[in-house]
Amino acid sequence: MRVTAVTCVKNEGPFLLEWVAFNRLIGVTDHLFYSNDCTDGTDALLDALADRGLCQHLPNPAEGRNYQMEALKDARRQDIVTEADWVWIADVDEFLNIHVGDHTIPALIAACDDPQAISVSFQFFASDGVDAYVDKPVIEQFHRSHNPDLWCGEAAIEVKSLVRHDFPLQYYGAHRPFQKGKARPDWTDGSGRKVPHKFLVAANPRRIRRFPAAGAREMATLNHYALRSLDSYLVKNDRGDVNRENRAFDDTYWRERNDPAWEDKSIQRYLPDLKKALTELKKDKEIKALHEECVRLHIAKRDELLAKPEYQAMQTQLRAASTLPPQEEAMLIELGLMEPAE
C-alpha cells in the first residue's frame, strides 16, 4: 500500500525527523513537503532527506498568503500523490494515533472496512507547564489534554482525513476532501462509522467540517501538539504572526489548547520503535548535523525573542494564564462556581 503524506512547513526544522520517522512506522511510504521562507534550516534538512529518497521537497507555489491551499492544489499534479493509494494531509505537529491491529494505517483502513475516506478527530495536547525546549520526541514529552470528547465547551471537534485514490475529489481541503457535486463517497470516522450527512454537505451554513468526537475515536485519534513547550510556542508566534509591537497579546489560542485535564499516554506505544528509527536516521552524519543546526537555530531564535520586552511579557502572561479554556471559565463564572480573576 502506498500512502503519501502531504504537508506545508515553515521553520519546523527541530521536529522534522520525528514526524517522518513516526509516519514511516505507521505505514506512510512517501512524504511531500512544501516549504516557504525558512530561516531555521528546515529547507536544508528537507533537501538532504530528499537526496536520500525519504521525501520530496518543493517550494510552496503560493504567491499570496494562502500557502496551504495553493500547495494542496499543486500536490494534485505530483506523481507522488497521483500514484498513491491513499493521501494523508496533516501538519508536522499532528500524529495519527492508531488503536487497532498493529497500529498502522493499513490496520486502520481494514478496521474501517476500506472506505474511500477516514476522518479522525483531533485531541489537543497541552504544554502542561513544560517551559524549555529540549531535543527529544514530542510524543514523549506531552501527555495531557482536554477531555477528548469535549473541547472549549464543544462536543464537535475538528478532523484530519485519509483519502483513497478513487475518492470523487473536487479538491483537497486542509481538514477534509471535498467531493464533486452530489457524490456520496463511502466515508467513515475514526470508529469506522459512516460520517453524518451534515458533514458530507459542505455548503451548509456553518461549513461544518466536524462532528462529535464522542464515540468517534475507537480506532484512531489525531494527537495535535499545537503548543509543545513554551519556548517553542514563542518561536511559533514569531514565525506565524504579524508584529505584536504596541498591541496586547491575545492568549486565547494558548488557553484553548492548554487544558491538562486528561492524561493519555497511548501514543507512547510507538516510542521504543520511534527512538530506534531516529537513532538510525542520525547515523547519517549529514542528517545528524543538519538536525542539530535546526535545534541550535531554534534555541537561538528563542533567545533573540526573549531579549525583547514584548516577548518577555508574552512569556510571563502565558505562564500565568489559566489552564481553563476561556469558554469554560466564563461558564463557571456565570454559574457562580468561581470568581473572576482580578
Side-chain angles (χ1 to χ4, degrees):
M1 183 182 292
R2 187 171 181 183
V3 181
T4 295
V6 181
T7 194
C8 300
V9 291
K10 178 179 178 181
N11 290 352
E12 293 280 7
F15 309 105
L16 292 176
L17 292 187
E18 179 185 3
W19 198 69
V20 169
F22 180 91
N23 282 344
R24 286 162 61 88
L25 288 177
I26 65 171
V28 173
T29 56
D30 300 271
H31 287 83
L32 174 56
F33 285 89
Y34 289 91
S35 70
N36 63 280
D37 306 318
C38 295
T39 59
D40 76 337
T42 289
D43 43 5
L45 179 53
L46 286 174
D47 285 342
L49 292 172
D51 288 343
R52 289 151 177 80
L54 295 173
C55 74
Q56 182 175 329
H57 175 214
L58 297 173
N60 196 305
E63 296 179 357
R65 293 184 58 84
N66 203 352
Y67 288 102
Q68 191 169 38
M69 292 309 298
E70 287 297 318
L72 294 180
K73 181 179 178 181
D74 183 80
R76 287 192 66 179
R77 66 182 183 85
Q78 301 295 332
D79 290 347
I80 197 172
V81 170
T82 61
E83 295 174 5
D85 299 300
W86 287 80
V87 174
W88 170 237
I89 295 168
D91 297 330
V92 174
D93 57 5
E94 297 166 352
F95 291 73
L96 184 54
N97 183 11
I98 298 166
H99 310 310
V100 293
D102 64 357
H103 310 294
T104 64
I105 288 172
L108 173 62
I109 291 166
C112 293
D113 200 22
D114 196 17
Q116 291 173 290
I118 305 170
S119 289
V120 182
S121 298
F122 276 46
Q123 186 172 341
F124 294 100
F125 280 76
S127 184
D128 194 29
V130 178
D131 266 17
Y133 165 77
V134 292
D135 181 19
K136 68 180 192 178
V138 168
I139 68 166
E140 180 179 11
Q141 297 181 68
F142 306 100
H143 48 83
R144 299 200 72 90
S145 76
H146 58 93
N147 178 334
D149 289 345
L150 297 170
W151 177 58
C152 296
E154 298 233 14
I157 301 177
E158 284 284 10
V159 298
K160 285 290 176 81
S161 303
L162 276 160
V163 186
R164 203 171 75 186
H165 66 91
D166 61 350
F167 186 94
L169 186 70
Q170 181 179 0
Y171 64 93
Y172 289 118
H175 291 263
R176 54 162 288 172
F178 289 85
Q179 67 270 30
K180 293 178 180 176
K182 296 182 179 180
R184 292 293 177 262
D186 184 5
W187 195 337
T188 74
D189 65 12
S191 288
R193 306 177 307 181
K194 302 302 181 187
V195 297
H197 176 73
K198 67 177 182 178
F199 181 83
L200 290 171
V201 184
N204 69 69
R206 290 182 61 200
R207 289 290 283 187
I208 291 175
R209 300 179 303 199
R210 56 192 190 173
F211 44 80
R217 303 178 320 279
E218 181 179 333
M219 298 172 184
T221 307
L222 186 65
N223 286 26
H224 190 186
Y225 302 92
L227 306 182
R228 303 180 181 126
S229 66
L230 178 53
D231 281 352
S232 292
Y233 187 71
L234 295 175
V235 174
K236 177 177 179 175
N237 269 268
D238 173 74
R239 175 200 75 188
D241 207 348
V242 295
N243 192 342
R244 296 183 178 278
E245 190 174 0
N246 297 324
R247 71 181 177 89
F249 168 65
D250 183 358
D251 63 9
T252 300
Y253 184 94
W254 171 273
R255 289 186 58 198
E256 286 179 343
R257 291 158 180 80
N258 196 36
D259 178 357
W262 197 269
E263 183 171 61
D264 183 351
K265 293 185 176 181
S266 61
I267 200 169
Q268 292 186 7
R269 63 169 71 93
Y270 298 103
L271 200 52
D273 288 337
L274 176 63
K275 288 183 174 180
K276 290 176 186 176
L278 287 170
T279 298
E280 193 64 30
L281 282 171
K282 291 176 185 177
K283 285 182 180 177
D284 184 315
K285 292 181 179 179
E286 184 184 8
I287 295 294
K288 184 175 187 289
L290 288 168
H291 170 77
E292 289 175 350
E293 178 65 1
C294 291
V295 168
R296 186 190 71 79
L297 290 169
H298 189 75
I299 293 170
K301 173 57 72 173
R302 174 206 64 192
D303 293 343
E304 174 193 329
L305 294 174
L306 286 175
K308 301 176 181 180
E310 61 267 32
Y311 274 88
Q312 294 169 12
M314 187 188 302
Q315 183 191 59
T316 299
Q317 182 174 342
L318 292 174
R319 280 176 174 161
S322 170
T323 56
L324 286 174
Q327 300 90 331
E328 185 176 341
E329 186 171 279
M331 179 188 70
L332 293 173
I333 291 170
E334 184 179 350
L335 293 171
L337 297 176
M338 69 178 292
E339 294 294 324
E342 295 184 3

